[in-house]
Amino acid sequence: MEFISFVVLVVVLATVMKMRGRVSALEAAVARLDALIPRVPLPAQPAAPAGESPHPERPEIAPVPAEQTPAAPIEAQSIPAERVPEDTVAAPAAPATPEAPRQYGDLERRFGTQWVVWIGGLALALGGMFLVRYSIEAGLIGPRTRIILGSLLAMALVGLGEYARRREILAGYPQFNSAHIPSVLTAAGTTVAYAVVYAAFALYDFLSPGLTFILLAAVALATLAAALLHGPALAGLGLVGAFVAPALVGSKDPNYWALYLYLAVVTAAAFALARARRWRWLAISTAVFSLVWLVLPLGAQGALHPQLFHLVAGFALTLALIASGLLFGPEAERGRFDLVSSGVLGCYLLGALFVVVANRHADPAVLVLFVLCAATVGAAWRSEMIAPALGAAALAGVLIVAHWSVSDFFVVISSPGGPYSAVPPVAKLAGLRTHLLLGSALAAMFGAAGYFAQGRVRHPYSAMIWAGLAVLTPLIVLIALYYGVTGFVRSIPFAALAIALAGLFAAATEMLNRRTFAPGGAAATAIFAAGAIASLALAFTFALERGWLTIALALMVPGIAYVADKRPLPLLRQICIVLVLLVLVRLLWDPRIVGDDVGKTPIFNWLLFGYGVPALAFWIGGRILRRRADDLASRSVESAAITFTVLTLMLQIRHFMNDGNVYRPQASLGEIGLQISTLLAMTIGLERICVRTASVVHDAAARIIGALALVGILVSLGIHFNPVITGEPVGGAFFNTLLIGYGIPAVLMAILARMIRKTRPTAVYTIAAVTAITLALVYLTLEVRTIFHGPVIGGVRTSDAEQYAYSAVWLAFGVALLLAGIAVKSQPARFASAAVVLLTVAKVFLYDLAGVEGVFRALSLICLGLTLIGIGWLYQRLLFPPRPPEQAAAGQMSA
């Protein structure tokens, strides 16, 4: 009883909240009307003689018959002249200003007209239940008497509510600012009726499950019928009761046909009520409850065909009563969408999807799903307002085909018998014929309908929906079937199908392009053109070995970009963004786009196909998209182009340096040096492109790739792969891995530093210049060490000749920097020369004097002295030559 009381309390409170909203709306309407009544000030009148009205300030106006009531507004009606003084009549009438609405006792009015009624209805419902509880606890009456009295109370409350409703109609009582007493009484009566029937079944076993089910259904349907007279709150109560009733009456051996026949009747009643009163919430709630009852017994034995009946019945009732522009539904408004009926249809299509999956793609379930999809297409063809439901229909069909293609359940191991019993078992795909027919039918239906719908719809979005589904449905179905049948293996038949599909899309594009203007026609034409390009990309992927979907998606980008350039439709640019995201997600999921075996041939291997082709496609697509705008689409495609270019070059270097084994766990100095050189070369190229395009993407990419190269130089070349530390052989003199690891990066870093000296901050330029000089010094030092020690240069002591060679090479490098600085008139190069020379001087005086002995100590000092004198001579003769006597004298006089 406590549970029943709580349920009743919740229901009544929901009713109260609904009625409060209605009352607030009515109060606002009355306040607006009251503000429009003019207030004409009238002077006070003397005491009236006998026989006259004691209230002369209230003009007595004879009643006017309805057919003679003037049509003029109340502001134009005049007041009798005998009631108004002459000066008032003669004076010009001032414009009437609306006064503030009259202030009534809001709290008192709400209390007397609303709250007491709501609380009274709640008290009636709870009082009847607690009376029954008391009678049970005190043992006053038996179970049968309790049920009889409860039934009488329910009928009395419902009858009293109907009596009160009729009395209000006859008396003409206003409904404003007061709770609707008849609705409250009727709701209380129906609540008691639910409780009585359930108690008779669950507590006392007076009723069989079948009879209880019938009685609860009768109460629910009667409540829905009463909602036509008493409002939406009662409709909500009846709907909840109707759909909860089967759950209250449990059974160990459920009869699904009886359940779904009952639900069909309830759904029909609820949809009819929703259509009659235009209660959208009721239609949506009914669809949700229907879906819940469809999902609960999924997979149960014997439930498939009743569930299919429930789907077809609910879908047909929606088309007949709820869908705008069809049969008994609301009137269609061309150029608008009815999201409510589209959502209800989508709810039943979702239920059909659940039924097919739960029953493992049984043929009857698949057939019903296709019938519902076809019915949705036909309904959207008749009424444009439910076009959004087409997306749900196409999605449901495509998901079924995709689920069949990826699920392992449909792979059956078959072992031949008889004379072929020695043949090993083979894997077969169950349901192949069914899903081939389903996919072909869906592709043909949506493709043909999407094309022929162009020009007959009024809303541009409708044309785009039809065209989008006409393109996407065949493409996705083809991909799903290709994976399910071949497992992404080269297939000429599927490539031929893709080419045929491309031809159909191209023909549709050409024919639509010749038509006159239609809403959404340009967008639809562009979508069909994009579909043709996507089909060609798929054909290319299907025909080539290891032709994966990722490459096809990348190849679609330049084609769609070209179409977007010719047909400037924003949707096409957004499609490019989606394609880039799909490719990147695929790359993150499995970077091995083309599998493990990439081939042994350098450069021309499967890495070039898997990474290079997408990179080239993205570069072309980004360039085309940039013609129109530097927006998110062009930036996304250009970012993907740079990413795939870096990956292509890095993987090709690894493939080349490891004899085709890109999965080798170790790396070498030569490999790291080539990769860093490649990053520096890309940074140089991006810096040049950035100056020309001023692109944010190119600027950010140059910064990021340059930073990666710097980190690689400091960490990899400086520590992890330094041959002095690792002892790795570097090869012969001059042409060895030192040239690759340090020499070439030094030259590239110097070029980069000179390029960015005016475009980047001074700190960035300084870092690049210092890094270039450091790399060059390290390269020269390690080359000298290689000459003295051979390929292995780690952990070996140095000789006096080697130390002298270091000093001589460093001085030569400093002089070379000075000459280069003088030649190109570069002060930073001369400063770098000075730094190198000072480093050499420090080495000679701090190390060579103490660590080098014999002739090499003398030669070191002699070479250093001669070099320094030569540098001074160069500065005096070339950079700061002496001035003629005349210029010197003029300079002294000016000073």
Side-chain angles (χ1 to χ4, degrees):
M1 292 301 296
E2 286 83 354
F3 173 74
I4 296 175
S5 302
F6 174 75
V7 172
V8 172
L9 178 61
V10 172
V11 172
V12 173
L13 286 178
T15 305
V16 167
M17 297 305 296
K18 280 283 186 180
M19 297 183 69
R20 285 189 62 183
R22 297 181 62 196
V23 168
S24 298
L26 293 175
E27 285 179 349
V30 171
R32 289 193 296 269
L33 293 175
D34 188 62
L36 297 177
I37 300 177
R39 308 288 183 256
V40 181
L42 296 177
Q45 296 293 332
E52 293 190 6
S53 172
H55 302 285
E57 69 277 8
R58 299 179 183 174
E60 297 178 359
I61 303 175
V64 182
E67 63 273 7
Q68 299 178 7
T69 302
I74 191 168
E75 291 84 354
Q77 297 179 5
S78 61
I79 299 176
E82 66 271 18
R83 298 295 183 186
V84 183
E86 294 180 359
D87 56 348
T88 305
V89 176
T97 58
E99 297 180 357
R102 293 172 182 165
Q103 299 295 328
Y104 299 100
D106 287 342
L107 181 61
E108 181 181 3
R109 184 182 64 221
R110 288 177 179 273
F111 175 78
T113 62
Q114 302 176 19
W115 295 351
V116 294
V117 178
W118 297 333
I119 298 173
L122 176 61
L124 282 175
L126 294 179
M129 295 182 182
F130 284 115
L131 180 61
V132 175
R133 178 178 179 178
Y134 171 75
S135 66
I136 295 172
E137 293 175 351
L140 299 179
I141 54 178
R144 295 183 182 275
T145 307
R146 298 167 198 163
I147 298 301
I148 293 173
L149 291 178
S151 302
L152 293 176
L153 176 60
M155 289 187 290
L157 290 173
V158 174
L160 186 59
E162 179 62 19
Y163 174 76
R165 184 187 69 83
R166 295 187 181 184
R167 290 288 295 176
E168 283 189 354
I169 294 175
L170 293 176
Y173 295 149
Q175 299 293 321
F176 301 107
N177 297 329
S178 63
H180 194 215
I181 296 175
S183 299
V184 174
L185 292 173
T186 306
T190 54
T191 303
V192 173
Y194 278 122
V196 167
V197 175
Y198 181 72
F201 166 72
L203 300 180
Y204 307 124
D205 293 328
F206 289 160
L207 302 176
S208 64
L211 182 57
T212 305
F213 182 74
I214 294 173
L215 291 177
L216 287 174
V219 173
L221 294 177
T223 306
L224 288 174
L228 284 170
L229 304 175
H230 294 283
L234 202 59
L237 180 62
L239 181 70
V240 172
F243 279 98
V244 171
L248 297 177
V249 184
S251 176
K252 296 181 180 180
D253 187 17
N255 188 339
Y256 292 108
W257 277 110
L259 170 64
Y260 288 116
L261 284 172
Y262 161 75
L263 291 178
V265 175
V266 172
T267 302
F271 279 170
L273 180 59
R275 172 64 185 92
R277 300 298 296 268
R278 293 185 177 271
W279 289 339
R280 295 175 177 266
W281 64 267
L282 184 59
I284 297 173
S285 302
T286 304
V288 172
F289 276 118
S290 298
L291 182 61
V292 170
W293 272 113
L294 187 72
V295 172
L296 288 178
L298 278 179
Q301 186 177 2
L304 174 60
H305 291 89
Q307 285 176 329
L308 296 179
F309 165 76
H310 178 60
L311 283 171
V312 174
F315 197 88
L317 289 171
T318 303
L319 293 179
L321 299 174
I322 305 300
S324 299
L326 298 177
L327 298 178
F328 307 106
E331 293 294 330
E333 300 179 24
R334 302 201 70 175
R336 297 187 61 185
F337 292 148
D338 183 5
L339 299 181
V340 173
S341 59
S342 300
V344 174
L345 292 174
C347 192
Y348 282 104
L349 288 166
L350 179 63
L353 175 66
F354 290 158
V355 171
V356 173
V357 174
N359 290 277
R360 298 183 177 182
H361 295 226
D363 289 346
V366 174
L367 178 60
V368 168
L369 175 67
F370 176 75
V371 170
L372 295 186
C373 293
T376 305
V377 172
W381 185 273
R382 289 284 306 274
S383 176
E384 184 179 354
M385 294 186 69
I386 57 176
L390 290 170
L395 181 63
V398 167
L399 285 179
I400 290 301
V401 179
H403 179 261
W404 169 80
S405 64
V406 301
S407 178
D408 294 334
F409 172 79
F410 301 98
V411 178
V412 180
I413 304 300
S414 176
S415 178
Y420 302 98
S421 57
V423 177
V426 294
K428 292 185 178 180
L429 201 58
L432 177 61
R433 179 179 179 183
T434 299
H435 292 84
L436 284 177
L437 292 175
L438 175 64
S440 302
L442 289 173
M445 179 177 64
F446 280 99
Y451 169 74
F452 289 109
Q454 305 303 319
R456 67 183 306 275
V457 293
R458 298 282 181 166
H459 202 298
Y461 286 165
S462 295
M464 295 170 65
I465 290 174
W466 280 106
L469 295 177
V471 170
L472 289 177
T473 304
L475 286 177
I476 298 176
V477 166
L478 184 61
I479 294 171
L481 292 175
Y482 170 66
Y483 177 77
V485 175
T486 67
F488 281 160
V489 177
R490 180 173 176 265
S491 175
I492 298 301
F494 276 98
L497 289 176
I499 293 176
L501 197 59
L504 292 175
F505 288 151
T509 303
E510 183 65 24
M511 297 178 70
L512 290 176
N513 197 29
R514 296 177 181 177
R515 294 186 181 181
T516 57
F517 173 77
T525 304
I527 291 173
F528 276 104
I533 297 170
S535 300
L536 286 177
L538 283 179
F540 177 71
T541 304
F542 295 163
L544 293 177
E545 187 177 357
R546 302 185 188 183
W548 284 30
L549 183 59
T550 307
I551 302 167
L553 293 175
L555 290 174
M556 289 171 59
V557 173
I560 295 178
Y562 178 77
V563 177
D565 185 60
K566 300 301 180 181
R567 298 275 185 178
L569 181 67
L571 177 63
L572 295 178
R573 302 179 74 89
Q574 296 171 6
I575 292 175
C576 292
I577 299 175
V578 174
L579 291 174
V580 168
L581 292 177
L582 289 175
V583 173
L584 293 179
V585 169
R586 170 64 180 83
L587 182 64
L588 292 175
W589 177 48
D590 185 7
R592 301 173 299 177
I593 295 179
V594 292
D596 296 332
D597 185 13
V598 297
K600 298 293 185 179
T601 306
I603 301 177
F604 298 101
N605 47 51
W606 287 110
L607 292 173
L608 183 64
F609 177 64
Y611 293 90
V613 172
L616 179 62
F618 287 142
W619 278 114
I620 297 174
R623 183 178 179 85
I624 296 174
L625 290 174
R626 181 171 288 277
R627 295 176 186 172
R628 289 278 180 179
D630 183 14
D631 56 358
L632 181 61
S634 61
R635 293 176 182 178
S636 301
V637 175
E638 287 178 341
S639 300
I642 296 172
T643 302
F644 271 84
T645 301
V646 172
L647 291 174
T648 302
L649 295 176
M650 296 297 103
L651 290 175
Q652 286 285 8
I653 290 172
R654 184 158 183 79
H655 180 275
F656 175 75
M657 297 298 293
N658 292 279
D659 297 328
N661 184 15
V662 295
Y663 304 105
R664 183 181 178 184
Q666 294 85 16
S668 62
L669 174 63
E671 178 183 344
I672 298 300
L674 284 177
Q675 291 180 344
I676 291 176
S677 299
T678 302
L679 293 177
L680 290 173
M682 284 199 64
T683 305
I684 294 171
L686 288 171
E687 289 288 348
R688 291 185 61 86
I689 296 174
C690 182
V691 172
R692 187 178 69 254
T693 63
S695 170
V696 177
V697 174
H698 297 153
D699 179 71
R703 292 172 181 266
I704 294 172
I705 296 176
L708 291 176
L710 179 62
V711 172
I713 291 171
L714 296 176
V715 177
S716 298
L717 298 182
I719 301 175
H720 289 296
F721 296 94
N722 191 328
V724 177
I725 299 175
T726 61
E728 176 186 344
V730 297
F734 303 113
F735 297 102
N736 48 34
T737 57
L738 295 176
L739 178 65
I740 299 174
Y742 295 95
I744 297 176
V747 175
L748 292 174
M749 185 63 80
I751 295 173
L752 177 63
R754 181 172 178 79
M755 179 179 294
I756 64 174
R757 70 185 187 279
K758 294 182 180 179
T759 59
R760 296 295 183 186
T762 306
V764 177
Y765 163 70
T766 303
I767 292 173
V770 171
T771 305
I773 295 170
T774 305
L775 282 173
L777 275 176
V778 171
Y779 169 67
L780 293 174
T781 303
L782 295 180
E783 279 289 350
V784 171
R785 192 170 180 83
T786 303
I787 293 174
F788 280 91
H789 298 284
V792 180
I793 59 177
V796 181
R797 293 183 178 182
T798 60
S799 62
D800 292 343
E802 183 179 348
Q803 290 295 334
Y804 167 73
Y806 290 151
S807 301
V809 170
W810 289 8
L811 279 174
F813 178 58
V815 172
L817 283 176
L818 176 61
L819 295 175
I822 294 173
V824 299
K825 298 180 180 181
S826 172
Q827 190 180 47
R830 298 196 297 271
F831 286 166
S833 169
V836 173
V837 170
L838 289 175
L839 178 65
T840 307
V841 170
K843 176 183 179 299
V844 170
F845 283 97
L846 296 178
Y847 182 82
D848 289 356
L849 288 178
V852 180
E853 298 178 353
V855 68
F856 292 106
R857 177 189 299 177
L859 290 176
S860 180
L861 290 172
I862 292 172
C863 290
L864 176 63
L866 292 175
T867 304
L868 292 177
I869 293 173
I871 291 173
W873 183 84
L874 288 174
Y875 268 90
Q876 293 175 5
R877 296 295 179 181
L878 299 179
L879 294 177
F880 303 103
R883 292 178 294 179
E886 297 80 3
Q887 295 183 2
Q892 292 178 359
M893 292 179 61
S894 62

